[in-house]
Amino acid sequence: MKQKPDLSFWKLWNLSFGFFGVQIAYALQSANISRIFATLGADPHNLSYFWILPPLMGILVQPIVGTLSDKTWTRFGRRIPYLFVGAAVAVLVMCLLPNAGSLGLSISFAMIFGLIALMFLDTSINMAMQPFKMLVGDMVNEKQKAKAYSIQSFLCNAGSVLGFVFPFIFTFIGISNVAEKGVVPDSVIWSFYIGAAILILCVIYTTSKVKEWNPKDYAEYNPVSSEKEESANWITLLKNAPSTFWKVGLVQFFCWAGMLYMWNYTTGAIAEVVWNTTDPASEAFQEAGNWVGILFAVQAVGSVIWAALLPQFKNTKLAYSISLIIGGIGFALVPFISDQYLQFIPFLMIGCAWAAMLAMPFTFVTNALQGYGHMGAYLGLFNGTICIPQIVAALCGGVVLSIVGHHQSTMMIVAGVSFLIGAACVGIIRGEK
């Protein structure tokens, strides 16, 4: 078997550049879904249920995309066809979702339309996102893998910053940030339109610049034959998965449950703590929604900075654990800061945890999977460690909110505790080659 060649910086960059556009779409979804459904009339205690669909579609779609793409060989590549189709569907749905309240539907039918659009949006985003991780697993050698995932992390955060600040920017240039009751403001609608345009342009760039290996070349650089790759089902793969797969998955459970509560409740929390309102129809609530985009952008900037510092740690597990502890403390600080600018501090801290979550789990797992084959299927199954905790957290969200006193800001403390538990679980991970 041949050693995979070193790739230039720009080849590594091109492998992941489309991720920039995909992440803009993901950021718009993350920062605005609670705002959109609250504007349509959703009760805060039911808000978490709307967040079941994104991870549910992820856990269904990504293993399927991974498994099918393992067996797909076309003139356009192995992973790229799924990337392009997913992006095309995402563009269409991004133009529909924010208009759920503008079609003259009743509140209940507007929410049903929004839910269906959200289901298709997350399905398509997951379909477009997974191939980027697989391309790195297929084409990048062990020495450069951490660098490749770091580039993905940078592009992910850069795309996030842009997606998060779009509503704030459009409001600043004069696009309306308020609308009649039950209608999503134009600032959010136009954010989705522009995000969709950037997404498809970025994906076109990657698909035009990246040439995947043909079956013969792939077999020369990868240790498992295509015949062997056809032989196992998902249950067998999970039974034979390396222990690192499960240990990293335990850490992932607590971290992604915490992230779900951040995405779900930050708009309500900031509206409560900084703007002193809980009324989604108020101008103050919509201003809080815009500011949440800025805070999420600050988080992404913090993540970029911290990602540059992470390689300085000689002990990867220690770096992972410290990052999650910093993030957990950041979450816990949110309810106690009433100044909108001082909120930058906890969100910078949360960015440290986000940087580690983006890069380190896949570094541990892809290194452990060398020689196992089925890289796409395994990475699709590993996505379950991202989706399952979000589904569990979403199902429990309303109950937890009632237990902690009906204040959405208190859910940020719940997220912080979850991250601290995840940091403690890092200790059981053992690196494998």
Side-chain angles (χ1 to χ4, degrees):
M1 185 186 71
K2 292 182 179 179
Q3 175 68 29
K4 294 177 185 177
D6 286 346
L7 300 179
S8 68
F9 171 83
W10 289 112
K11 286 186 177 180
L12 293 173
W13 176 273
N14 291 340
L15 273 178
S16 297
F17 183 73
F19 207 81
F20 175 79
V22 174
Q23 197 60 32
I24 289 176
Y26 193 69
L28 285 167
Q29 173 186 291
S30 301
N32 293 286
I33 289 304
S34 287
R35 177 182 182 179
I36 288 172
F37 283 106
T39 301
L40 293 176
D43 182 273
H45 292 81
N46 298 327
L47 207 53
S48 66
Y49 300 135
F50 295 102
W51 284 89
I52 295 173
L53 277 176
L56 180 61
M57 298 316 299
I59 200 171
L60 293 174
V61 172
Q62 295 211 24
I64 293 172
V65 170
T67 301
L68 291 178
S69 66
D70 279 343
K71 303 173 184 178
T72 297
W73 299 100
T74 73
R75 58 177 293 197
F76 302 106
R78 191 184 193 196
R79 317 294 186 183
I80 284 176
Y82 297 90
L83 161 63
F84 194 84
V85 172
V89 175
V91 166
L92 175 63
V93 181
M94 287 175 73
C95 295
L96 295 175
L97 174 59
N99 290 294
S102 307
L103 303 175
L105 303 172
S106 65
I107 292 176
S108 58
F109 279 105
M111 287 193 184
I112 291 171
F113 179 88
L115 278 171
I116 294 172
L118 176 60
M119 179 182 71
F120 278 102
L121 177 59
D122 209 77
T123 300
S124 56
I125 288 177
N126 275 288
M127 190 173 180
M129 187 181 297
Q130 188 69 356
F132 290 106
K133 299 182 179 71
M134 299 175 194
L135 284 170
V136 172
D138 287 346
M139 303 181 70
V140 179
N141 62 36
E142 298 310 302
K143 183 175 66 174
Q144 291 190 303
K145 203 164 277 183
K147 182 178 181 181
Y149 282 125
S150 294
I151 291 172
Q152 272 195 11
S153 179
F154 170 79
L155 289 167
C156 172
N157 284 295
S160 294
V161 169
L162 200 55
F164 289 144
V165 302
F166 270 163
F168 184 88
I169 292 172
F170 288 134
T171 301
F172 180 79
I173 65 176
I175 295 176
S176 177
N177 192 48
V178 293
E180 60 186 272
K181 186 175 181 179
V183 176
V184 177
D186 285 345
S187 58
V188 176
I189 293 174
W190 277 99
S191 296
F192 274 79
Y193 289 169
I194 300 302
I198 296 174
L199 165 59
I200 197 64
L201 290 174
C202 290
V203 168
I204 289 172
Y205 176 87
T206 285
T207 55
S208 65
K209 291 291 185 180
V210 174
K211 182 174 175 57
E212 294 186 69
W213 289 325
N214 59 41
K216 180 181 176 182
D217 291 338
Y218 178 85
E220 290 180 352
Y221 289 112
N222 290 275
V224 179
S225 70
S226 58
E227 181 180 354
K228 184 177 177 183
E229 289 212 354
E230 298 278 352
S231 63
N233 59 38
W234 292 349
I235 301 298
T236 303
L237 292 177
L238 289 173
K239 285 181 179 178
N240 295 329
S243 62
T244 298
F245 182 97
W246 299 106
K247 292 173 181 177
V248 176
L250 181 63
V251 179
Q252 294 270 84
F253 182 90
F254 292 103
C255 294
W256 284 97
M259 289 304 298
L260 185 281
Y261 287 144
M262 184 192 83
W263 293 325
N264 197 340
Y265 295 108
T266 297
T267 299
I270 296 301
E272 284 179 9
V273 173
V274 180
W275 270 267
N276 299 311
T277 183
T278 57
D279 179 12
S282 67
E283 184 176 352
F285 188 92
Q286 297 300 334
E287 287 181 12
N290 277 1
W291 196 250
V292 167
I294 297 298
L295 293 176
F296 283 2
V298 168
Q299 171 206 319
V301 170
S303 181
V304 171
I305 296 170
W306 190 250
L309 297 176
L310 280 175
Q312 306 305 314
F313 287 86
K314 294 182 179 179
N315 187 320
T316 306
K317 285 171 54 178
L318 179 63
Y320 195 8
S321 182
I322 288 175
S323 300
L324 299 183
I325 290 170
I326 293 172
I329 295 171
F331 276 115
L333 289 175
V334 171
F336 303 103
I337 299 175
S338 59
D339 183 275
Q340 66 188 93
Y341 295 100
L342 288 180
Q343 284 284 354
F344 288 172
I345 296 171
F347 279 88
L348 283 170
M349 297 173 71
I350 293 168
C352 297
W354 184 239
M357 287 172 62
L358 288 176
M360 291 189 173
F362 287 99
T363 300
F364 280 120
V365 169
T366 54
N367 284 343
L369 287 173
Q370 291 306 306
Y372 279 73
H374 308 277
M375 180 67 75
Y378 267 120
L379 289 182
L381 291 168
F382 185 68
N383 189 61
T385 67
I386 296 173
C387 299
I388 291 174
Q390 292 181 69
I391 294 170
V392 173
L395 289 171
C396 299
V399 175
V400 176
L401 178 61
S402 298
I403 291 172
V404 300
H406 307 281
H407 293 291
Q408 295 187 55
S409 56
T410 312
M411 294 297 288
M412 305 300 281
I413 297 177
V414 175
V417 171
S418 188
F419 265 73
L420 294 177
I421 296 172
C425 294
V426 171
I428 67 172
I429 299 173
R430 179 175 62 86
E432 297 183 43
K433 291 189 178 182

